[in-house]
Amino acid sequence: VLGRLPESADLRSLAARLLAEMKDRRTAAPMAEVLKRLRKESESDVSLEATASETVMALAALGGKTAVSAAVDLLSDSRPTLQRAAVQALGSLCDPGEGAAALKQASQSKDESIAAAASMATDHCRQPH
């Protein structure tokens, strides 16, 4: 359902949340592929930006390198809504390598809301859990 174009954005977002709740890491790679398509689809359908945001957060809930890579990739999008979702995902993943580097770069963003969110995410990840 998450990857099917004819489904509504709300239904696709629900599918992302349900996949996260399943906690099955085998779904991470297919979800990351859908996220790439959602980025493209959301260029012509703004309602899918929320679905892309839900999907990156679902991936973050699953964790792992696939989730980190997907969030870093989403962070490269020019739209602040998707960048903020990526920063939030990276802040929950707390990856010390690629994720930390992406957050450091995002903290230098010209968009103050993204820079602030990235700085807060970095601080969160530095705290002992």
Side-chain angles (χ1 to χ4, degrees):
V1 170
L2 177 60
R4 288 198 309 237
L5 202 57
E7 304 296 347
S8 72
D10 288 341
L11 186 59
R12 292 172 81 177
S13 292
L14 176 61
R17 289 190 299 273
L18 291 173
L19 285 166
E21 286 185 30
M22 289 172 47
K23 301 277 189 228
D24 184 350
R25 283 214 172 159
R26 294 174 298 178
T27 63
M31 286 175 66
E33 286 303 313
V34 169
L35 180 58
K36 288 178 186 177
R37 290 197 323 263
L38 281 167
R39 268 183 74 184
K40 197 75 171 148
E41 292 169 23
S42 66
E43 290 172 2
S44 59
D45 182 353
V46 177
S47 68
L48 290 174
E49 284 184 18
T51 304
S53 296
E54 291 277 359
T55 303
V56 76
M57 291 310 298
L59 279 163
L62 295 175
K65 291 285 182 202
T66 301
V68 172
S69 295
V72 168
D73 184 53
L74 190 62
L75 187 56
S76 70
D77 196 282
S78 63
R79 293 168 284 182
T81 54
L82 296 181
Q83 289 177 354
R84 278 191 293 276
V87 165
Q88 186 178 1
L90 289 168
S92 68
L93 287 161
C94 292
D95 176 72
E98 184 183 16
L103 285 174
K104 183 176 181 181
Q105 184 176 354
S107 69
Q108 305 300 315
S109 173
K110 290 181 182 10
D111 184 319
E112 289 181 26
S113 69
I114 292 163
S119 293
M120 288 189 334
T122 299
D123 290 345
H124 164 77
C125 291
R126 285 190 189 129
Q127 302 299 318
H129 296 286

